[in-house]
Amino acid sequence: MRFTLRLSAIVLSAVVLVNAAGPIPKKEFEKNKALGLRLLNIELGKYVWRTEFEKFDVMRTNKGFFDVTDVYDPEEDDFKPALVKGEMGVTAVSAFPSGPTRQNVIQPVINTLAIANLQTYVANLTSFNNRYYRSQTGAQASQWILDTVNSIAALNPSVGATGAFFNNTFVQPSIIATIPGKTNGPITILGAHMDSVNQANPTNGRAPGADDDASGSADLLETFRALVVAGFKPSTPVEFHWYAGEEGGLLGSQAIAQSYKRAGKQVKAMLQLDMTAYTKPGTKEVVAFLPDYIDSTLNTFLESLVDEYLSIPWAISPACGYACSDHASWNRQGFPSSMPFETPFGTDNPQIHTTGDTTTVNGFSWTHMLEYAKLGVAYAYELAA
Ligand SMILES: *[C@@H]1O[C@H](CO)[C@@H](O)[C@H](O)[C@H]1NC(C)=O
Ligand SMILES: *[C@@H]1O[C@H](CO)[C@@H](O)[C@H](O)[C@H]1NC(C)=O
Protein backbone atom coordinates (compact mmCIF):
# COMPACT_ATOMS: atom_id res chain seq x y z
CA MET A 1 0.00 0.00 0.00
CA ARG A 2 1.38 3.32 -0.97
CA PHE A 3 0.27 5.35 2.01
CA THR A 4 -1.97 5.78 4.97
CA LEU A 5 -4.23 8.64 5.94
CA ARG A 6 -2.61 8.96 9.35
CA LEU A 7 0.78 9.94 7.98
CA SER A 8 -0.19 13.16 6.32
CA ALA A 9 1.88 15.68 8.25
CA ILE A 10 4.24 16.61 5.43
CA VAL A 11 2.56 18.33 2.52
CA LEU A 12 3.79 17.70 -0.98
CA SER A 13 4.39 21.36 -1.71
CA ALA A 14 7.09 21.45 0.97
CA VAL A 15 9.32 19.57 -1.47
CA VAL A 16 10.95 21.96 -3.90
CA LEU A 17 12.06 21.20 -7.45
CA VAL A 18 10.67 21.96 -10.86
CA ASN A 19 7.08 20.95 -11.41
CA ALA A 20 6.03 20.02 -14.91
CA ALA A 21 2.80 19.49 -16.78
CA GLY A 22 3.07 16.36 -18.93
CA PRO A 23 4.04 15.28 -21.47
CA ILE A 24 7.70 15.93 -20.68
CA PRO A 25 9.83 17.01 -23.66
CA LYS A 26 12.46 14.46 -24.68
CA LYS A 27 15.40 16.80 -23.98
CA GLU A 28 14.27 17.62 -20.47
CA PHE A 29 13.45 13.98 -19.76
CA GLU A 30 16.84 12.69 -20.86
CA LYS A 31 18.80 15.44 -19.13
CA ASN A 32 17.07 15.02 -15.78
CA LYS A 33 17.13 11.22 -15.98
CA ALA A 34 20.88 11.33 -16.64
CA LEU A 35 21.25 13.52 -13.54
CA GLY A 36 19.61 10.73 -11.53
CA LEU A 37 16.33 12.55 -10.95
CA ARG A 38 13.08 10.62 -10.72
CA LEU A 39 9.95 11.64 -12.63
CA LEU A 40 6.88 11.27 -10.44
CA ASN A 41 3.32 11.37 -11.76
CA ILE A 42 1.26 12.54 -8.79
CA GLU A 43 -2.12 12.92 -10.48
CA LEU A 44 -3.55 12.60 -13.99
CA GLY A 45 -1.30 14.67 -16.25
CA LYS A 46 0.76 16.16 -13.39
CA TYR A 47 4.48 15.40 -13.12
CA VAL A 48 7.25 16.48 -10.72
CA TRP A 49 11.00 15.81 -10.74
CA ARG A 50 12.51 14.65 -7.44
CA THR A 51 15.84 13.22 -6.31
CA GLU A 52 15.76 9.66 -4.95
CA PHE A 53 16.24 11.14 -1.49
CA GLU A 54 13.37 13.61 -1.93
CA LYS A 55 11.17 10.75 -3.07
CA PHE A 56 11.24 9.53 0.56
CA ASP A 57 9.52 12.78 1.54
CA VAL A 58 6.80 12.15 -1.03
CA MET A 59 6.48 8.58 0.32
CA ARG A 60 5.79 10.06 3.75
CA THR A 61 2.87 12.16 2.51
CA ASN A 62 -0.63 10.81 2.08
CA LYS A 63 -0.38 11.07 -1.70
CA GLY A 64 0.11 8.11 -4.02
CA PHE A 65 2.33 8.45 -7.09
CA PHE A 66 3.72 6.56 -10.06
CA ASP A 67 7.51 6.82 -10.40
CA VAL A 68 7.51 6.70 -14.21
CA THR A 69 11.24 7.26 -14.79
CA ASP A 70 11.81 3.71 -16.08
CA VAL A 71 8.69 3.48 -18.24
CA TYR A 72 8.16 7.00 -19.57
CA ASP A 73 8.74 7.34 -23.29
CA PRO A 74 8.60 10.95 -24.50
CA GLU A 75 8.34 9.75 -28.11
CA GLU A 76 5.38 7.46 -27.61
CA ASP A 77 2.10 8.66 -26.36
CA ASP A 78 1.18 5.31 -24.85
CA PHE A 79 1.58 6.82 -21.45
CA LYS A 80 -1.84 8.36 -21.27
CA PRO A 81 -4.32 6.10 -19.49
CA ALA A 82 -6.02 4.38 -22.41
CA LEU A 83 -9.40 3.49 -21.02
CA VAL A 84 -9.62 5.58 -17.91
CA LYS A 85 -12.90 7.39 -17.73
CA GLY A 86 -13.27 10.35 -15.45
CA GLU A 87 -11.52 11.35 -12.25
CA MET A 88 -11.95 8.00 -10.52
CA GLY A 89 -10.38 5.99 -13.34
CA VAL A 90 -13.24 3.50 -13.28
CA THR A 91 -13.47 1.27 -16.35
CA ALA A 92 -16.02 -1.34 -17.40
CA VAL A 93 -14.15 -2.91 -20.26
CA SER A 94 -14.99 -6.58 -20.08
CA ALA A 95 -17.89 -8.94 -19.71
CA PHE A 96 -17.42 -11.20 -16.70
CA PRO A 97 -19.57 -14.19 -15.76
CA SER A 98 -22.76 -13.17 -13.97
CA GLY A 99 -21.83 -15.35 -11.02
CA PRO A 100 -20.05 -18.51 -9.86
CA THR A 101 -20.72 -21.80 -11.68
CA ARG A 102 -18.04 -24.21 -10.47
CA GLN A 103 -18.83 -24.71 -6.78
CA ASN A 104 -18.42 -28.52 -6.99
CA VAL A 105 -14.76 -28.32 -7.99
CA ILE A 106 -13.77 -25.11 -6.22
CA GLN A 107 -15.01 -25.81 -2.70
CA PRO A 108 -12.77 -28.91 -2.26
CA VAL A 109 -9.72 -26.85 -3.32
CA ILE A 110 -10.65 -24.05 -0.90
CA ASN A 111 -10.86 -26.68 1.85
CA THR A 112 -7.15 -27.43 1.37
CA LEU A 113 -6.04 -23.83 2.14
CA ALA A 114 -4.13 -23.80 5.43
CA ILE A 115 -3.38 -21.05 7.94
CA ALA A 116 -0.20 -22.93 8.93
CA ASN A 117 1.16 -22.32 5.42
CA LEU A 118 0.29 -18.62 5.55
CA GLN A 119 2.16 -18.45 8.88
CA THR A 120 5.28 -20.08 7.41
CA TYR A 121 5.28 -17.76 4.39
CA VAL A 122 4.82 -14.62 6.50
CA ALA A 123 7.49 -15.78 8.98
CA ASN A 124 9.98 -16.17 6.14
CA LEU A 125 9.10 -12.86 4.47
CA THR A 126 9.28 -10.89 7.73
CA SER A 127 12.61 -12.48 8.70
CA PHE A 128 14.47 -10.22 6.24
CA ASN A 129 15.56 -6.92 7.91
CA ASN A 130 13.50 -5.23 5.24
CA ARG A 131 12.36 -5.96 1.69
CA TYR A 132 13.26 -2.52 0.43
CA TYR A 133 13.61 -2.49 -3.35
CA ARG A 134 17.12 -1.01 -3.33
CA SER A 135 18.52 -3.25 -0.57
CA GLN A 136 20.32 -6.61 -0.74
CA THR A 137 17.80 -8.11 1.69
CA GLY A 138 15.07 -6.92 -0.67
CA ALA A 139 16.75 -8.88 -3.47
CA GLN A 140 17.17 -11.92 -1.20
CA ALA A 141 13.43 -11.84 -0.44
CA SER A 142 12.74 -12.08 -4.21
CA GLN A 143 15.05 -15.08 -4.40
CA TRP A 144 13.19 -16.72 -1.49
CA ILE A 145 9.85 -16.24 -3.27
CA LEU A 146 11.19 -17.68 -6.55
CA ASP A 147 12.68 -20.68 -4.68
CA THR A 148 9.37 -21.23 -2.91
CA VAL A 149 7.42 -20.99 -6.19
CA ASN A 150 9.75 -23.56 -7.75
CA SER A 151 9.39 -25.96 -4.84
CA ILE A 152 5.59 -25.63 -5.00
CA ALA A 153 5.67 -26.28 -8.77
CA ALA A 154 7.69 -29.45 -8.10
CA LEU A 155 4.91 -30.80 -5.85
CA ASN A 156 2.89 -31.65 -8.98
CA PRO A 157 4.98 -31.50 -12.18
CA SER A 158 2.04 -32.64 -14.34
CA VAL A 159 0.55 -29.12 -14.02
CA GLY A 160 3.65 -27.62 -15.71
CA ALA A 161 3.78 -24.57 -13.42
CA THR A 162 6.89 -22.39 -13.70
CA GLY A 163 8.53 -19.47 -11.90
CA ALA A 164 10.74 -16.68 -13.26
CA PHE A 165 12.20 -13.33 -12.35
CA PHE A 166 11.12 -10.18 -14.14
CA ASN A 167 14.22 -8.01 -13.70
CA ASN A 168 14.17 -4.30 -12.89
CA THR A 169 16.56 -1.36 -13.10
CA PHE A 170 17.18 -1.82 -9.34
CA VAL A 171 18.41 -4.91 -7.46
CA GLN A 172 15.02 -6.38 -6.56
CA PRO A 173 13.35 -8.43 -9.32
CA SER A 174 9.62 -9.09 -9.48
CA ILE A 175 8.56 -12.74 -9.63
CA ILE A 176 6.05 -14.33 -12.02
CA ALA A 177 4.61 -17.82 -11.47
CA THR A 178 2.58 -19.31 -14.32
CA ILE A 179 0.04 -22.11 -14.46
CA PRO A 180 -0.13 -22.68 -18.21
CA GLY A 181 -3.40 -22.88 -20.09
CA LYS A 182 -4.30 -24.78 -23.24
CA THR A 183 -3.94 -21.44 -25.05
CA ASN A 184 -1.58 -18.52 -24.41
CA GLY A 185 -4.29 -16.11 -23.36
CA PRO A 186 -6.10 -14.18 -22.22
CA ILE A 187 -4.22 -14.21 -18.91
CA THR A 188 -5.83 -14.15 -15.47
CA ILE A 189 -3.48 -12.34 -13.04
CA LEU A 190 -3.22 -12.27 -9.25
CA GLY A 191 -0.84 -9.64 -7.84
CA ALA A 192 0.73 -8.59 -4.55
CA HIS A 193 3.84 -6.56 -3.73
CA MET A 194 6.79 -8.25 -2.10
CA ASP A 195 8.74 -5.14 -1.05
CA SER A 196 8.42 -3.41 2.32
CA VAL A 197 9.59 -0.08 3.65
CA ASN A 198 10.41 1.64 6.92
CA GLN A 199 9.51 5.15 5.95
CA ALA A 200 11.62 6.74 8.69
CA ASN A 201 14.71 4.95 7.34
CA PRO A 202 13.99 3.29 3.98
CA THR A 203 17.41 1.91 3.12
CA ASN A 204 18.43 0.30 6.43
CA GLY A 205 15.45 0.47 8.78
CA ARG A 206 13.68 -2.64 10.01
CA ALA A 207 10.51 -3.15 7.96
CA PRO A 208 8.85 -6.50 8.70
CA GLY A 209 5.89 -5.54 6.51
CA ALA A 210 3.77 -8.40 7.88
CA ASP A 211 0.52 -6.84 6.71
CA ASP A 212 2.03 -4.58 4.01
CA ASP A 213 2.35 -6.77 2.06
CA ALA A 214 3.60 -10.12 3.33
CA SER A 215 -0.12 -10.85 3.84
CA GLY A 216 -1.06 -10.53 0.17
CA SER A 217 2.21 -12.18 -0.91
CA ALA A 218 1.46 -15.18 1.34
CA ASP A 219 -2.12 -15.36 0.03
CA LEU A 220 -0.75 -15.65 -3.50
CA LEU A 221 1.71 -18.41 -2.52
CA GLU A 222 -1.04 -20.37 -0.77
CA THR A 223 -3.48 -19.90 -3.68
CA PHE A 224 -0.78 -21.07 -6.10
CA ARG A 225 0.05 -24.07 -3.88
CA ALA A 226 -3.57 -25.17 -3.55
CA LEU A 227 -4.20 -24.96 -7.31
CA VAL A 228 -0.98 -26.80 -8.23
CA VAL A 229 -1.56 -29.59 -5.72
CA ALA A 230 -5.18 -29.91 -6.93
CA GLY A 231 -3.87 -30.51 -10.46
CA PHE A 232 -5.49 -27.35 -11.87
CA LYS A 233 -5.04 -27.33 -15.66
CA PRO A 234 -6.96 -24.29 -16.88
CA SER A 235 -8.04 -23.46 -20.43
CA THR A 236 -6.30 -20.09 -20.26
CA PRO A 237 -3.14 -19.19 -18.27
CA VAL A 238 -3.12 -18.00 -14.67
CA GLU A 239 -0.22 -15.85 -13.47
CA PHE A 240 0.85 -14.85 -9.97
CA HIS A 241 2.89 -11.64 -9.74
CA TRP A 242 4.93 -10.54 -6.73
CA TYR A 243 5.85 -6.96 -7.57
CA ALA A 244 9.12 -5.31 -6.58
CA GLY A 245 9.30 -1.63 -5.67
CA GLU A 246 5.61 -0.89 -5.09
CA GLU A 247 6.52 1.45 -2.25
CA GLY A 248 8.87 3.34 -4.57
CA GLY A 249 6.03 4.39 -6.89
CA LEU A 250 4.54 1.14 -8.31
CA LEU A 251 7.80 0.36 -10.11
CA GLY A 252 7.58 -3.41 -10.62
CA SER A 253 3.93 -3.49 -11.69
CA GLN A 254 4.31 -0.60 -14.13
CA ALA A 255 7.21 -2.35 -15.87
CA ILE A 256 5.24 -5.58 -16.31
CA ALA A 257 1.95 -3.93 -17.30
CA GLN A 258 3.74 -1.80 -19.90
CA SER A 259 5.64 -4.80 -21.27
CA TYR A 260 2.38 -6.83 -21.60
CA LYS A 261 0.65 -3.93 -23.33
CA ARG A 262 3.51 -3.46 -25.79
CA ALA A 263 3.71 -7.21 -26.49
CA GLY A 264 -0.02 -7.23 -27.26
CA LYS A 265 -0.77 -9.75 -24.49
CA GLN A 266 -4.44 -10.21 -23.64
CA VAL A 267 -5.31 -9.89 -19.96
CA LYS A 268 -8.67 -11.18 -18.76
CA ALA A 269 -8.40 -9.56 -15.33
CA MET A 270 -5.92 -8.48 -12.65
CA LEU A 271 -6.68 -8.92 -8.94
CA GLN A 272 -4.42 -7.07 -6.46
CA LEU A 273 -4.04 -8.21 -2.83
CA ASP A 274 -2.25 -5.50 -0.83
CA MET A 275 -2.92 -5.80 2.94
CA THR A 276 -5.35 -8.59 3.81
CA ALA A 277 -4.75 -9.29 7.51
CA TYR A 278 -6.13 -6.46 9.61
CA THR A 279 -9.55 -5.42 10.83
CA LYS A 280 -9.80 -2.51 13.25
CA PRO A 281 -10.90 -3.91 16.61
CA GLY A 282 -14.56 -3.17 17.24
CA THR A 283 -15.46 -2.78 13.56
CA LYS A 284 -17.24 -5.29 11.31
CA GLU A 285 -15.01 -7.75 9.43
CA VAL A 286 -15.50 -7.37 5.65
CA VAL A 287 -13.72 -7.64 2.31
CA ALA A 288 -13.65 -3.99 1.23
CA PHE A 289 -13.58 -3.32 -2.52
CA LEU A 290 -11.84 -0.14 -3.62
CA PRO A 291 -14.17 1.96 -5.81
CA ASP A 292 -11.54 3.95 -7.73
CA TYR A 293 -9.03 3.12 -10.50
CA ILE A 294 -10.67 -0.30 -10.89
CA ASP A 295 -13.01 -2.06 -13.31
CA SER A 296 -16.57 -1.93 -11.99
CA THR A 297 -17.75 -5.08 -13.80
CA LEU A 298 -14.82 -7.01 -12.30
CA ASN A 299 -15.79 -5.73 -8.85
CA THR A 300 -19.34 -6.98 -9.39
CA PHE A 301 -18.06 -10.42 -10.41
CA LEU A 302 -15.71 -10.60 -7.40
CA GLU A 303 -18.55 -9.61 -5.06
CA SER A 304 -20.51 -12.63 -6.31
CA LEU A 305 -17.51 -14.85 -5.46
CA VAL A 306 -17.33 -13.41 -1.93
CA ASP A 307 -21.03 -14.17 -1.48
CA GLU A 308 -20.55 -17.76 -2.62
CA TYR A 309 -17.18 -18.84 -1.23
CA LEU A 310 -16.16 -16.63 1.71
CA SER A 311 -17.26 -16.63 5.35
CA ILE A 312 -17.50 -12.84 5.61
CA PRO A 313 -19.44 -10.25 3.57
CA TRP A 314 -18.11 -7.59 1.23
CA ALA A 315 -18.45 -3.82 1.42
CA ILE A 316 -17.47 -0.89 -0.78
CA SER A 317 -14.51 1.03 0.61
CA PRO A 318 -14.02 4.79 0.48
CA ALA A 319 -11.70 5.80 -2.38
CA CYS A 320 -8.00 5.06 -1.97
CA GLY A 321 -6.88 7.72 -4.47
CA TYR A 322 -4.40 8.05 -7.30
CA ALA A 323 -1.67 5.39 -7.71
CA CYS A 324 -2.70 3.67 -4.48
CA SER A 325 -1.43 0.16 -5.26
CA ASP A 326 -0.36 -2.04 -8.19
CA HIS A 327 -3.87 -2.49 -9.63
CA ALA A 328 -3.50 1.16 -10.74
CA SER A 329 -0.61 0.23 -13.06
CA TRP A 330 -2.92 -2.19 -14.91
CA ASN A 331 -5.85 0.23 -14.90
CA ARG A 332 -3.56 2.82 -16.43
CA GLN A 333 -2.66 0.48 -19.30
CA GLY A 334 -6.34 -0.21 -19.95
CA PHE A 335 -6.56 -3.69 -18.37
CA PRO A 336 -9.45 -4.55 -16.02
CA SER A 337 -8.19 -4.64 -12.42
CA SER A 338 -9.62 -4.60 -8.91
CA MET A 339 -8.42 -4.52 -5.32
CA PRO A 340 -10.29 -6.06 -2.40
CA PHE A 341 -8.74 -4.46 0.70
CA GLU A 342 -8.52 -5.64 4.32
CA THR A 343 -11.01 -3.13 5.67
CA PRO A 344 -12.70 0.08 4.48
CA PHE A 345 -9.93 2.52 3.57
CA GLY A 346 -9.18 4.81 6.51
CA THR A 347 -9.64 2.11 9.18
CA ASP A 348 -6.68 0.08 7.92
CA ASN A 349 -3.58 -1.01 9.82
CA PRO A 350 -1.96 1.99 11.60
CA GLN A 351 1.46 0.28 11.86
CA ILE A 352 2.36 -0.01 8.18
CA HIS A 353 5.75 1.36 7.02
CA THR A 354 7.11 1.08 10.60
CA THR A 355 8.96 -1.49 12.72
CA GLY A 356 5.57 -2.27 14.25
CA ASP A 357 4.00 -3.91 11.15
CA THR A 358 4.13 -7.38 12.74
CA THR A 359 1.74 -10.28 13.24
CA THR A 360 1.19 -9.28 16.88
CA VAL A 361 -0.69 -6.06 16.09
CA ASN A 362 -4.10 -6.03 17.80
CA GLY A 363 -6.53 -6.68 14.91
CA PHE A 364 -4.13 -8.82 12.83
CA SER A 365 -6.02 -12.01 11.95
CA TRP A 366 -4.91 -15.19 10.17
CA THR A 367 -8.50 -16.22 9.52
CA HIS A 368 -9.12 -12.84 7.87
CA MET A 369 -6.05 -13.32 5.65
CA LEU A 370 -7.26 -16.81 4.71
CA GLU A 371 -10.48 -15.35 3.25
CA TYR A 372 -8.45 -13.62 0.52
CA ALA A 373 -6.74 -16.89 -0.44
CA LYS A 374 -10.25 -18.38 -0.83
CA LEU A 375 -11.10 -15.47 -3.12
CA GLY A 376 -7.88 -16.07 -5.07
CA VAL A 377 -8.73 -19.73 -5.70
CA ALA A 378 -12.31 -18.93 -6.71
CA TYR A 379 -11.24 -16.08 -9.01
CA ALA A 380 -8.56 -18.14 -10.79
CA TYR A 381 -10.81 -21.17 -11.20
CA GLU A 382 -13.99 -19.37 -12.26
CA LEU A 383 -12.20 -17.19 -14.84
CA ALA A 384 -9.62 -19.58 -16.29
CA ALA A 385 -10.84 -23.18 -15.91
C1 LIG B 1 10.73 -20.68 6.13
O1 LIG B 1 10.06 -21.69 5.41
C2 LIG B 1 10.58 -22.97 5.60
C3 LIG B 1 9.82 -23.89 4.68
O2 LIG B 1 9.97 -23.44 3.35
C4 LIG B 1 10.45 -23.39 7.04
O3 LIG B 1 10.99 -24.66 7.23
C5 LIG B 1 11.18 -22.37 7.89
O4 LIG B 1 10.96 -22.68 9.25
C6 LIG B 1 10.69 -20.98 7.60
N1 LIG B 1 11.50 -19.99 8.27
C7 LIG B 1 10.99 -19.17 9.17
C8 LIG B 1 11.91 -18.11 9.70
O5 LIG B 1 9.86 -19.25 9.54
C1 LIG C 1 17.50 -11.55 -14.39
O1 LIG C 1 18.73 -11.33 -13.79
C2 LIG C 1 19.38 -12.53 -13.36
C3 LIG C 1 20.59 -12.15 -12.52
O2 LIG C 1 21.26 -11.05 -13.02
C4 LIG C 1 19.73 -13.36 -14.59
O3 LIG C 1 20.36 -14.55 -14.21
C5 LIG C 1 18.44 -13.68 -15.32
O4 LIG C 1 18.72 -14.34 -16.53
C6 LIG C 1 17.65 -12.41 -15.63
N1 LIG C 1 16.33 -12.83 -16.09
C7 LIG C 1 15.76 -12.33 -17.19
C8 LIG C 1 14.41 -12.85 -17.52
O5 LIG C 1 16.32 -11.50 -17.89
Side-chain angles (χ1 to χ4, degrees):
M1 173 65 72
R2 278 289 316 122
F3 59 86
T4 163
L5 287 176
R6 288 167 214 85
L7 299 164
S8 57
I10 303 162
V11 289
L12 199 60
S13 58
V15 185
V16 280
L17 252 191
V18 262
N19 288 1
I24 310 298
K26 189 174 179 195
K27 250 187 161 167
E28 174 191 331
F29 178 74
E30 286 176 353
K31 182 173 143 246
N32 285 351
K33 187 174 175 176
L35 288 170
L37 295 179
R38 308 296 303 181
L39 182 61
L40 310 188
N41 172 224
I42 54 171
E43 54 188 75
L44 270 183
K46 190 162 182 205
Y47 295 83
V48 295
W49 287 103
R50 295 288 181 269
T51 64
E52 184 70 35
F53 186 75
E54 288 165 333
K55 198 165 84 169
F56 300 156
D57 293 334
V58 183
M59 280 183 200
R60 285 184 279 261
T61 72
N62 66 349
K63 199 148 169 49
F65 62 91
F66 293 96
D67 177 339
V68 300
T69 320
D70 296 335
V71 294
Y72 191 80
D73 183 345
E75 297 203 312
E76 270 184 49
D77 207 18
D78 73 347
F79 205 67
K80 295 216 179 83
L83 293 165
V84 168
K85 292 178 198 141
E87 287 278 292
M88 299 277 280
V90 175
T91 60
V93 295
S94 307
F96 289 100
S98 59
T101 61
R102 296 174 190 274
Q103 291 88 337
N104 293 348
V105 278
I106 291 174
Q107 195 56 52
V109 182
I110 284 179
N111 294 342
T112 69
L113 296 168
I115 283 177
N117 292 332
L118 296 177
Q119 290 172 329
T120 298
Y121 299 144
V122 171
N124 272 276
L125 287 165
T126 56
S127 71
F128 297 96
N129 178 51
N130 60 45
R131 303 186 300 279
Y132 190 59
Y133 67 102
R134 290 161 68 92
S135 74
Q136 285 306 319
T137 52
Q140 287 159 10
S142 287
Q143 187 65 56
W144 181 83
I145 291 175
L146 180 59
D147 292 346
T148 304
V149 161
N150 287 334
S151 56
I152 290 171
L155 294 173
N156 191 352
S158 72
V159 168
T162 55
F165 279 146
F166 188 103
N167 291 335
N168 290 305
T169 58
F170 44 90
V171 293
Q172 181 177 70
S174 298
I175 304 97
I176 299 178
T178 305
I179 298 179
K182 295 179 180 70
T183 62
N184 286 333
I187 306 165
T188 299
I189 299 171
L190 295 92
H193 72 89
M194 49 71 57
D195 65 316
S196 70
V197 69
N198 175 326
Q199 64 181 2
N201 180 3
T203 45
N204 303 314
R206 171 84 181 119
D211 191 17
D212 188 13
D213 181 24
S215 62
S217 296
D219 279 322
L220 257 60
L221 283 169
E222 183 59 356
T223 299
F224 178 63
R225 189 201 61 76
L227 290 169
V228 166
V229 169
F232 183 51
K233 291 180 187 163
S235 307
T236 51
V238 178
E239 290 186 359
F240 300 79
H241 295 179
W242 291 267
Y243 300 116
E246 188 265 358
E247 304 288 6
L250 314 182
L251 295 165
S253 57
Q254 286 190 88
I256 297 176
Q258 183 185 61
S259 114
Y260 281 28
K261 182 68 175 291
R262 289 185 171 175
K265 290 193 184 184
Q266 305 280 305
V267 173
K268 195 172 280 189
M270 188 274 170
L271 175 74
Q272 172 74 355
L273 297 182
D274 183 359
M275 298 168 62
T276 64
Y278 175 87
T279 299
K280 185 177 179 171
T283 66
K284 186 179 173 187
E285 186 182 351
V286 294
V287 171
F289 285 95
L290 298 189
D292 53 336
Y293 300 96
I294 50 80
D295 186 278
S296 60
T297 57
L298 179 57
N299 264 10
T300 303
F301 171 66
L302 292 167
E303 288 156 14
S304 77
L305 300 185
V306 173
D307 288 340
E308 181 67 32
Y309 295 108
L310 274 59
S311 311
I312 55 174
W314 55 269
I316 300 294
S317 170
C320 193
Y322 197 66
C324 152
S325 185
D326 296 305
H327 61 288
S329 299
W330 294 88
N331 175 274
R332 173 170 208 147
Q333 295 287 354
F335 297 117
S337 62
S338 282
M339 181 164 133
F341 190 44
E342 60 187 8
T343 186
F345 188 70
T347 58
D348 45 298
N349 192 330
Q351 292 295 335
I352 66 167
H353 305 171
T354 74
T355 57
D357 183 4
T358 68
T359 60
T360 60
V361 166
N362 186 21
F364 188 103
S365 160
W366 296 103
T367 55
H368 191 62
M369 198 193 300
L370 188 70
E371 295 296 318
Y372 296 77
K374 295 180 188 176
L375 182 59
V377 167
Y379 159 84
Y381 226 115
E382 292 281 0
L383 282 186

